[in-house]
């Protein structure tokens, strides 16, 4: 198997956002715990500091996936797990979010089957290839009945329900900047930088402790269930809440705009306060001001639908 770490590409990460859970190192059983500890040690003492975006690691994951595609006959999913993870360090505690590439590849295949025209799907992944991947997944499921992804991905938008675990105070915007001589990055810079070709890219993410995330989602779900029990956001709150319950209670939850920063541009990134707006709408709903709550939700939904519509732009 070739060493994919030597592969380089100037492409940006795809226009996708990610919802991640980082579990504390202590949540992993041995020998997995020791492996993640060694993995973090290889990356140095500053790897995964909470104040920093994970954009470089996202690009590394993208390169590894591209290397898999160009190195062999196309197939539906990687032959083995990558054994890699995103890292965060908060107050001296190491948190780990495994890539779980094979599991996420199976999920992406399901999404592709549901949304792509059959002719296109058969051209990209012949039926025999897909059948083999599905049989492989069934065998894997039997061996890992409790497996769940640490990462959810949404292409071309951030689903409104993903903002439920966060408040505006959890927002972290890191402006882009031009590369300094010798490859460093100077302070300041212009938001929306172009990554390796033009320096550090901008990043926008939210990070919050699991206990706070669960509390916010639960409060939102109660309010939504009472006011609009069959509403899309109420159903979304239930799905997000169930997913969060799968993880260690002292985990961290992160919403990362990922490659969407290149799609939105610097002005929109600076102005975006989607989590705070949703919070305001929920406060209005709990106070009985249904009209204001609906107004906020509609504005937020329409704004992100406009972003989603860009996937059809020529």
């Amino acid at each position: 198997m070739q060493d994919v770490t030597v592969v380089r590409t100037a492409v940006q990460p795809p226009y996708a956002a990610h919802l991640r859970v980082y579990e504390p190192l202590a949540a992993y059983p041995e020998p997995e715990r020791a492996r993640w500890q060694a993995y973090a040690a290889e990356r140095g003492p500053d790897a995964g500091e909470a104040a920093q975006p994970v954009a470089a690691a996202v690009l590394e994951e993208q390169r590894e996936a591209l290397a898999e595609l160009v190195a062999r006959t196309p197939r539906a999913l990687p032959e083995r797990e990558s054994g890699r993870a995103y890292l965060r360090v908060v107050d001296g505690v190491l948190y780990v979010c495994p890539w779980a590439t094979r599991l996420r590849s199976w999920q992406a295949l399901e999404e592709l089957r549901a949304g792509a025209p059959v002719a296109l799907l058969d051209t990209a992944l012949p039926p025999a290839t897909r059948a083999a991947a599905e049989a492989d997944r069934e065998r894997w499921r039997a061996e890992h009945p409790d497996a769940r992804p640490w990462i959810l991905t949404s292409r071309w938008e951030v689903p409104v329900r993903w903002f439920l675990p966060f408040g505006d105070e959890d927002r972290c915007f890191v402006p882009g900047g031009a590369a300094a001589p010798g490859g460093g990055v100077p302070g300041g810079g212009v938001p929306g930088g172009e990554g390796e070709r033009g320096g550090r890219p901008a990043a926008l993410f939210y990070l919050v402790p699991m206990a706070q995330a669960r509390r916010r989602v639960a409060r939102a779900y109660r309010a939504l269930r009472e006011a609009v029990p069959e509403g899309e956001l109420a159903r979304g709150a239930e799905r997000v809440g169930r997913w969060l319950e799968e993880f260690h209670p002292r985990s961290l939850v992160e919403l990362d705009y990922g490659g969407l920063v290149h799609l939105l541009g610097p002005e929109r990134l600076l102005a975006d306060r989607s989590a705070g707006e949703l919070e305001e709408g929920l406060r209005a709903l709990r106070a009985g001001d249904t009209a204001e709550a609906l107004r906020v939700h509609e504005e937020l939904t329409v704004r992100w639908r406009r972003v989603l519509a860009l996937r059809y732009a020529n």
Side-chain angles (χ1 to χ4, degrees), residues 86-117:
Y86 297 108
L87 306 174
R88 288 285 186 196
V89 178
V90 179
D91 296 331
V93 177
L94 174 64
Y95 295 84
V96 181
C97 175
W99 287 3
T101 309
R102 278 172 63 81
L103 178 56
R104 290 164 59 209
S105 295
W106 279 314
Q107 292 176 323
L109 179 59
E110 286 184 353
E111 293 174 11
L112 188 64
R113 289 177 57 195

Side-chain angles (χ1 to χ4, degrees), residues 148-202:
R148 71 281 193 262
W150 286 263
I151 306 171
L152 303 181
T153 297
S154 174
R155 295 156 188 84
W156 295 94
E157 67 166 341
V158 179
V160 173
R161 65 182 179 274
W162 282 14
F163 293 108
L164 289 169
F166 309 97
D168 194 56
E169 68 274 17
D170 306 314
R171 180 182 183 273
C172 184
F173 175 62
V174 181
V185 178
V190 179
E194 292 298 323
E196 289 189 353
R197 289 173 296 171
R200 177 187 59 192

Side-chain angles (χ1 to χ4, degrees), residues 30 46 61 67 96 144 153 159-160 165 171 176 182 202 207 219 226 234 239 262-263 272 276 295 308:
E30 294 290 4
D46 298 326
E61 183 182 13
V96 181
H144 305 84
T153 297
V160 173
R171 180 182 183 273
L207 190 67
R219 289 189 67 204
E226 292 174 4
R239 291 198 299 273
H262 303 291
L263 185 67
D272 187 277
R295 183 195 67 78
L308 179 63

Side-chain angles (χ1 to χ4, degrees), residues 223-295:
L224 291 163
R225 185 181 57 187
E226 292 174 4
V228 281
E230 299 303 318
E232 179 182 346
L233 191 54
R235 292 192 294 270
E238 183 177 15
R239 291 198 299 273
V240 171
R242 289 184 183 277
W243 181 65
L244 294 178
E245 289 294 332
E246 296 285 336
F247 301 96
H248 193 280
R250 294 186 180 176
S251 300
L252 301 176
V253 186
E254 177 185 58
L255 169 55
D256 181 8
Y257 275 44
L260 290 182
V261 298
H262 303 291
L263 185 67
L264 296 173
E267 291 81 12
R268 281 204 238 181
L269 288 174
L270 284 169
D272 187 277
R273 291 294 188 280
S274 295
E277 291 176 43
L278 185 57
E279 262 195 323
E280 292 173 5
L282 289 169
R283 277 197 295 268
L285 186 63
R286 285 191 287 267
D289 192 347
T290 306
E292 175 63 11
L294 288 173
R295 183 195 67 78

